Amino acid sequence: MSLNAQTRWHTFQSQEEINQAALHRILAAADAAIAKYGNFLIVLAGGSTPKAVYQLLAKADADWANWHVYHNDDRCLPVDHVERNSKMARDAWLSHVAIPEHQIHDIPAELGNVDGAKAYAQTLAGVRTFDLVILGLGEDGHTASLFPGHVVNNTADAVPVYHSPKPPADRITISQDRLNNTHEVMFLVTGAGKQEAVDQWRAGVAIPATLIQPPQGVDVYCFGVQLA
């Protein structure tokens, strides 16, 4: 099957519309997974668009006791640093709902990219296929901490990132293979700054985001970009 046949594009007319669509998609995926498996495994993205969705989730009614939360990447900074994805998710959402603490799996990026990646790979060991992975898209086409020109490291479920083109240089990311081991993927793409990356993606250019192609394909939710 071709790349674009596996990539479903959805456009929205306002920030509120895309936020609500993402919210409903997440809650529906949770209900389906809990009905089927008894739990819901979600992988979070950082960034401003996911943050707005997480703030909506903080006010939602869900079977929180059966949610298990992971992160697709994080920056090697102190735990309480404002640019940590884990801190953003906790401040916006996770600290406000009744997900058991032991089911919130932050990447221990404060340990450094090598030791933190090893620790997170151990956390992911034996974890079943994810139910929903949320991803963003950088202006350079990156997703998670999979960057253009970087060798893709699939040696473990979580791997160190060196020399990130966006600071800080040291990061940890879930590997391409593990991100593809999921039932659903939802990209959240907003803002005109993402236009070039979207154009490249739709033209078949091999930007990092195109590495994420699980068997069921991906859904790209867009606002503020044109789909030619």
Side-chain angles (χ1 to χ4, degrees):
M1 189 173 289
S2 70
L3 172 65
N4 285 333
Q6 282 276 17
T7 307
R8 297 172 292 271
W9 297 85
H10 311 265
T11 58
F12 299 91
Q13 301 307 309
S14 68
Q15 189 69 57
E16 179 63 19
E17 187 179 331
I18 191 174
N19 292 348
Q20 288 292 333
L23 171 70
H24 293 305
R25 174 71 177 271
I26 293 166
L27 293 174
D31 289 345
I34 292 169
K36 187 170 184 178
Y37 303 109
N39 54 30
F40 175 52
L41 310 186
I42 184 171
V43 181
L44 305 185
S48 57
T49 299
K51 180 179 179 179
V53 177
Y54 302 159
Q55 289 169 332
L56 293 174
L57 281 164
K59 304 170 187 174
D61 183 24
D63 183 6
W64 299 120
N66 289 310
W67 287 50
H68 293 252
V69 177
Y70 302 86
H71 292 270
N72 64 43
D73 75 331
D74 215 337
R75 302 166 173 90
C76 293
L77 298 166
V79 172
D80 59 352
H81 196 285
V82 67
E83 293 186 4
R84 279 289 295 265
N85 290 339
S86 54
K87 175 174 171 53
M88 181 274 280
R90 285 176 178 271
D91 290 350
W93 166 31
L94 300 175
S95 295
H96 307 286
V97 297
I99 300 175
E101 179 63 28
H102 69 276
Q103 293 170 203
I104 299 174
H105 304 285
D106 293 344
I107 298 175
E110 65 278 3
L111 300 178
N113 58 359
V114 174
D115 289 344
K118 288 179 180 176
Y120 210 56
Q122 292 177 344
T123 295
L124 293 171
V127 173
R128 68 170 178 83
T129 297
F130 296 133
D131 295 304
L132 176 62
V133 170
I134 302 172
L135 291 166
L137 178 69
E139 294 183 5
D140 61 357
H142 85 269
T143 193
S145 281
L146 304 172
F147 288 101
H150 282 210
V151 175
V152 175
N153 185 344
N154 280 307
T155 59
D157 286 348
V159 294
V161 175
Y162 304 88
H163 310 300
S164 162
K166 296 184 64 177
D170 289 352
R171 297 170 175 235
I172 296 165
T173 190
I174 295 184
S175 64
Q176 170 198 346
D177 284 357
R178 191 59 178 93
L179 289 171
N180 278 317
N181 184 8
T182 184
H183 296 299
E184 296 183 59
V185 169
M186 177 173 61
F187 279 87
L188 296 176
V189 181
T190 62
K194 308 297 175 67
Q195 186 68 56
E196 183 178 357
V198 167
D199 290 345
Q200 289 180 326
W201 189 347
R202 290 174 61 81
V205 177
I207 62 172
T210 64
L211 296 170
I212 309 305
Q213 279 291 324
Q216 294 83 0
V218 305
D219 290 280
V220 188
Y221 285 31
C222 298
F223 166 63
V225 296
Q226 302 298 315
L227 302 186

